[in-house]
Amino acid sequence: MTPAEPAADAAWVVIDAPLAPQALAAFCQDLERLYRINPYLEFKTWQSSENGQIHAVYRNLSNQREFDLHIRPERKSGFDFQVRYDHGARRSTRFEVEAAPGGSRLRITDDYTPLTSGAPADPDEADKSLHAWGVALQTYLKREHHWGKSAIWRWYMRRVWVPMKPSARRITFIIVMVTLAEIMLFALVITIYWIEMRR
């Protein structure tokens, strides 16, 4: 399939993934995970209702705005769907999956077409995190491709990492790196001590 041309009042990002199109499309079915991967969104609420709508309350760190939205997914096909927002400058976000060399490609398009002709969208509401979201998604998908068969990795990423706030993820990463450095230093000291004792 070929992604449609984005609207005039739109912003988009395109990422390549090492997954088959079917696998990438299946990955995108989990909207909560998809949105929580965005490193600029701090979610307070994500609630799915029986009619398929989602109530999301979050802070967008890219524009320092608070959002309380009802999101309605609309699927055109297994490889092309969008979510509509009940209010705000951003009318919808569209996700399009297609085959690409080495795997697949995902285009995410934010539509800011105003409801009233000639009425410009509020620039302060524009989501400036779209590029960062694309980078974070691509990184996540590469790790998913590499480590996704590990039950421990899947459990950690989906039960621990994804629900974390972006700041908590950064802090956790720093703690892990410091801990690994300490372990390596300790191992080095033990190795030197062992070598000296054998002389």
Side-chain angles (χ1 to χ4, degrees):
M1 59 166 279
T2 302
E5 288 300 317
D9 296 319
W12 62 92
V13 64
V14 179
I15 65 171
D16 290 321
L19 305 177
Q22 294 82 358
L24 180 57
F27 179 91
C28 293
Q29 298 280 340
D30 188 344
L31 278 179
E32 182 176 3
R33 175 176 58 181
L34 202 61
Y35 275 77
R36 284 185 180 272
I37 289 173
N38 188 323
Y40 282 91
L41 301 187
E42 286 189 349
F43 283 90
K44 297 178 181 178
T45 300
W46 182 283
Q47 295 177 329
S48 299
S49 61
E50 293 182 358
N51 63 5
Q53 287 199 2
I54 298 160
H55 178 218
V57 180
Y58 63 92
R59 180 175 181 80
N60 190 328
L61 302 178
S62 75
N63 55 19
Q64 299 301 317
R65 301 290 291 266
E66 301 278 348
F67 293 89
D68 187 335
L69 301 172
H70 284 89
I71 300 172
R72 186 177 75 254
E74 295 179 351
R75 298 195 178 276
K76 297 183 177 181
S77 71
F79 299 92
D80 184 354
F81 71 96
Q82 64 183 355
V83 295
R84 293 192 179 276
Y85 309 101
D86 65 336
H87 65 274
R90 183 170 57 171
R91 307 306 307 160
S92 66
T93 299
R94 186 174 182 180
F95 302 88
E96 300 166 272
V97 176
E98 66 172 342
S104 54
R105 182 169 293 132
L106 172 65
R107 170 180 275 174
I108 305 174
T109 305
D110 284 337
D111 182 10
Y112 291 93
T113 304
L115 286 177
T116 305
S117 178
D122 182 357
D124 292 333
E125 278 196 32
D127 186 353
K128 302 177 180 65
S129 71
L130 187 57
H131 178 265
W133 189 14
V135 172
L137 267 174
Q138 189 170 50
T139 300
Y140 190 102
L141 289 167
K142 286 180 179 179
R143 292 173 180 168
E144 178 83 4
H145 177 69
H146 189 72
W147 299 102
K149 294 181 180 179
S150 168
I152 295 175
W153 187 89
R154 292 197 306 271
W155 178 88
Y156 173 77
M157 293 302 289
R158 298 176 191 182
R159 300 294 183 182
V160 180
W161 189 88
V162 168
M164 282 183 177
K165 290 184 177 180
S167 57
R169 294 173 190 164
R170 290 190 290 269
I171 292 170
T172 301
F173 177 77
I174 292 172
I175 291 173
V176 169
M177 291 297 101
V178 170
T179 302
L180 287 175
E182 291 176 345
I183 292 173
M184 292 176 64
L185 180 60
F186 179 76
L188 179 61
V189 170
I190 294 298
T191 301
I192 294 174
Y193 176 77
W194 181 78
I195 292 173
E196 291 296 326
M197 290 293 293
R198 288 179 60 89
R199 288 183 177 178

